[in-house]
Amino acid sequence: MVQERTLPTFNAATSRITKEEGLRLYEDMVLGRLFEDKCAEMYYRGKMFGFVHLYNGQEAVSTGVIQAMRPGEDYVCSTYRDHVHALSAGVPAKEVMAELFGKATGCSKGRGGSMHMFSAEHRLLGGYAFVAEGIPVAAGAAFQSKYRREVLKDESADQVTACFFGDGAANNGQFFETLNMAALWKLPILFVVENNKWAIGMAHDRATSQPEIYKKASVFNMAGVEVDGMDVLAVRAVAQEAVARARAGEGPTLIEALTYRFRGHSLADPDELRSKTEKEFWFARDPIKKLAAHLLEQNLASEEEIKGIDRKIQELIDEAVKFAESSPEPDPSELYRFVFAEDE
């Protein structure tokens, strides 16, 4: 078992969330979890092809960050583990599912599949298959927001960009180059490292000379913070501070969320490298169960309300599967469309 880091503590009592906010966070995480469970079922039934990387266990990071932003206005840049980021950003579940089925009604018109979710409408800048590939793209989005506001004097251009990537990407050159530029130019961006301890089959501690990724921010004179990525309220609190700082023109933040994926690297991964002891340690920290317990303890929700959300989301996902199954395949005559940007 790889050595466990001491997780940052967070006093949930200081979060001061309303009932509406708490239920919204819970619903978003349940949507991500149940959606991914259905993806696994559909993959093993032969409805999806290629590599499919699921997000189970990491929902508190996506929900905590994106729900602290302005979905539909602020920008989100993802990785190949992108389904749940898309859902948190507001892309309808039926469009994400249809994309996974390779259908024309998918958010990328059936051309992207699991690893390349995209939606201009929802400011989702894409999922990226290559490690660290989305980091400079996210910086470009943040740069245009700053340029429009400061050079073109567009006061409405106060958008913030959230860039998600894994611990393995923090050893990639694009990570260091982009953080340097973002700090120099004080770009309105959150660099969110989802440190789930494993880069495919490589333990994070074995692959880097400084396992505490958030400390690398100091090299760039950038704010850096670690957070318990299994606690959505902790992630949300850190993200809210970083978003406010970015929107105020105070520059970027590097957030290292300590989290864990409950499944293998992809659905083709037998997941034999991680020890049973390690898995059990993290399974016991399920972020959805943790939030549900908090809502009940604080009288922000009842058991029936919690179960009602679970039922509603399951029905939504079942409808998404029906939509995907009944949707048309992309027309072969449009094979060369969308290679370049075009108006529709």
Side-chain angles (χ1 to χ4, degrees):
M1 178 176 173
V2 176
Q3 179 67 36
E4 298 292 353
R5 272 167 61 178
T6 301
L7 295 168
T9 58
F10 177 75
N11 183 2
T14 65
S15 61
R16 296 191 182 90
I17 61 167
T18 65
K19 177 173 182 173
E20 181 184 5
E21 290 170 333
L23 292 178
R24 186 176 72 245
L25 294 174
Y26 180 79
E27 182 171 321
D28 195 58
M29 286 203 293
V30 170
L31 173 61
R33 176 69 59 84
L34 297 185
F35 186 94
E36 296 292 68
D37 286 345
K38 181 61 71 172
C39 284
E41 177 189 337
M42 294 295 104
Y43 179 88
Y44 292 127
R45 287 176 56 187
K47 300 289 186 179
M48 298 175 188
F49 305 94
F51 284 104
V52 177
H53 308 81
L54 300 187
Y55 199 76
N56 298 57
Q58 300 182 203
E59 296 89 355
V61 186
S62 179
T63 296
V65 172
I66 297 175
Q67 294 302 316
M69 301 171 71
R70 298 196 301 230
E73 293 183 46
D74 291 329
Y75 296 94
V76 173
C77 197
S78 186
T79 66
Y80 48 72
R81 205 179 300 279
D82 57 352
H83 317 156
V84 177
H85 294 147
L87 294 170
S88 291
V91 182
K94 65 180 185 179
E95 292 184 18
V96 180
M97 189 67 75
E99 189 59 40
L100 284 156
F101 276 57
K103 297 299 184 72
T105 53
C107 59
S108 299
K109 306 184 187 304
R111 290 159 168 78
S114 173
M115 295 188 281
H116 300 287
M117 299 288 166
F118 175 85
S119 177
E121 176 187 354
H122 300 92
R123 301 293 177 97
L124 178 68
L125 301 175
Y128 294 88
F130 292 140
V131 173
E133 185 184 12
I135 300 177
V137 173
F143 178 80
Q144 64 84 28
S145 293
K146 183 180 178 71
Y147 187 88
R148 283 169 47 217
R149 185 174 183 83
E150 296 185 2
V151 179
L152 301 182
K153 305 303 180 184
D154 180 357
E155 294 185 3
S156 68
D158 65 344
Q159 294 82 14
V160 172
T161 299
C163 178
F164 294 89
F165 50 95
D167 46 278
N171 294 321
N172 189 294
Q174 293 181 92
F175 168 82
F176 297 98
E177 294 173 34
T178 305
L179 262 67
N180 181 57
M181 289 188 288
L184 274 174
W185 298 335
K186 292 189 179 299
L187 298 185
I189 186 169
L190 279 59
F191 295 105
V192 185
V193 185
E194 301 190 85
N195 184 355
N196 61 23
K197 294 170 59 69
W198 293 85
I200 307 182
M202 172 57 71
H204 172 62
D205 287 3
R206 294 181 58 201
T208 183
S209 57
Q210 171 50 284
E212 294 174 294
I213 300 171
Y214 76 99
K215 290 184 177 179
K216 297 178 181 181
S218 65
V219 178
F220 305 102
N221 196 27
M222 180 189 301
V225 60
E226 66 173 342
V227 65
D228 181 355
M230 306 300 275
D231 185 338
V232 69
L233 299 181
V235 176
R236 176 175 175 266
V238 165
Q240 285 176 327
E241 287 187 21
V243 168
R245 189 162 50 243
R247 221 180 290 282
E250 297 173 11
T253 302
L254 174 61
I255 299 172
E256 181 183 6
L258 303 176
T259 186
Y260 200 73
R261 53 176 165 79
F262 288 175
R263 294 179 179 269
H265 172 68
S266 74
L267 286 174
D269 176 14
D271 195 22
E272 298 173 342
L273 295 174
R274 303 185 300 173
S275 71
K276 180 180 179 182
T277 302
E278 178 181 288
K279 292 177 188 177
E280 289 177 346
F281 172 83
W282 288 93
F283 289 166
R285 306 191 66 256
D286 189 315
I288 296 177
K289 292 179 180 178
K290 184 179 181 70
L291 178 62
H294 176 78
L295 295 177
L296 293 171
E297 289 168 4
Q298 299 297 315
N299 295 315
L300 293 172
S302 65
E303 287 277 7
E304 186 52 41
E305 286 175 311
I306 294 292
K307 291 178 181 177
I309 289 174
D310 295 343
R311 289 192 296 269
K312 181 180 78 169
I313 295 301
Q314 190 60 66
E315 290 173 3
L316 177 69
I317 290 170
D318 291 341
E319 291 171 4
V321 171
K322 292 178 182 178
F323 175 81
E325 289 181 321
S326 62
S327 290
E329 300 280 348
D331 193 312
S333 68
E334 294 193 332
L335 178 63
Y336 297 107
R337 280 198 74 191
F338 307 116
V339 175
F340 300 102
E342 61 181 75
D343 294 327
E344 288 191 81

